Amino acid sequence: MNVSHTLRPVLLAFFLLPLAACSGNADTAQDKAASGLAQASAKIQEASEKVRTEIATGDIDLSSDDPKAPSAVITPKGELLIDGKKVVTTAAQDVLLLEYRGQIEQIAQAGADIGLKAAGVAMAAIGESLKGVLSGASEEDIERAVEAQASGIKAEAKKLCDRLPAFIATQEKLATSLPEFAPYANADMDDVADCRSDIDGASIFSD
């Protein structure tokens, strides 16, 4: 599982929201922006609720770099199923499986929270852009004002990256303790760097 992918949909939902509608006729832009943001906000809300439900009550899929590796999941009870069959585990391994699953849940749910906050900030950002268009502000001034609002969301997203080293440490303990899990332990410190790089490179304004 490439953990940085957990964050990417949340980031894209916010930072890649198009602001192109904020140019041209102000009334038309306002209508388009309001409609687009309402739809985006509803989709983010729906996705957030879906993530919360699935992560709390469903199996968590594991992936492997080996294309021949059988499918594997961790159930809500912390059971490891490989190719549909429960792997026999010790009490100590059960603790690690539950800890590992719990960390995935926390990262995913925190990402859902950021998505919801981002939707609100995006609405404010659109409003700022429209206000700038109406007042005759330069594009640079508008971008600075909007990016200032986005910086808070970026800071929160980076906190998700900060959770990854502890997650990787648990993964390594589990892989050492439970050889059957080892093929699915493919997160590493490169994922932490990629996570931070994705966030630093994200922008509200498309090229």
Side-chain angles (χ1 to χ4, degrees):
M1 182 180 67
N2 187 327
V3 184
S4 63
H5 290 176
T6 303
L7 304 178
R8 196 159 292 156
V10 175
L11 293 173
L12 292 178
F14 172 58
F15 292 112
L16 300 185
L17 277 174
L19 295 185
C22 294
S23 60
N25 181 275
D27 290 336
T28 300
Q30 189 169 12
D31 290 342
K32 288 182 178 179
S35 175
L37 277 173
Q39 292 178 22
S41 179
K43 287 181 179 179
I44 292 172
Q45 176 73 45
E46 181 181 355
S48 174
E49 292 174 355
K50 184 177 180 180
V51 165
R52 291 176 188 281
T53 299
E54 289 184 351
I55 205 70
T57 64
D59 295 339
I60 291 179
D61 294 326
L62 305 178
S63 63
S64 173
D65 293 332
D66 181 0
K68 295 182 180 179
S71 61
V73 302
I74 299 178
T75 71
K77 294 181 179 180
E79 298 171 326
L80 175 62
L81 305 183
I82 297 180
D83 203 17
K85 300 175 182 178
K86 182 183 182 303
V87 176
V88 178
T89 53
T90 66
Q93 291 166 340
D94 290 340
V95 169
L96 285 172
L97 281 165
L98 283 170
E99 181 179 355
Y100 180 80
R101 180 186 167 99
Q103 287 173 321
I104 294 176
E105 288 182 9
Q106 290 169 9
I107 291 171
Q109 290 179 359
D113 288 340
I114 291 173
L116 287 176
K117 291 179 182 179
V121 173
M123 290 182 183
I126 289 289
E128 192 72 32
S129 284
L130 288 172
K131 192 164 56 177
V133 170
L134 293 172
S135 66
S138 69
E139 183 178 345
E140 290 76 14
D141 288 339
I142 294 172
E143 288 192 13
R144 276 195 295 270
V146 173
E147 290 288 0
Q149 296 183 61
S151 64
I153 298 298
K154 282 190 175 185
E156 287 201 41
K158 283 184 177 180
K159 291 179 181 179
L160 290 184
C161 303
D162 294 340
R163 296 184 186 216
L164 298 187
F167 169 82
I168 292 169
T170 301
Q171 174 197 256
E172 291 175 351
K173 289 180 185 177
L174 184 54
T176 300
S177 172
L178 187 59
E180 293 90 342
F181 171 79
Y184 307 94
N186 51 18
D188 56 34
M189 292 305 293
D190 286 343
D191 287 318
V192 182
D194 290 344
C195 175
R196 291 171 178 156
S197 176
D198 285 347
I199 294 169
D200 286 335
S203 175
I204 291 176
F205 298 95
S206 57
D207 295 331

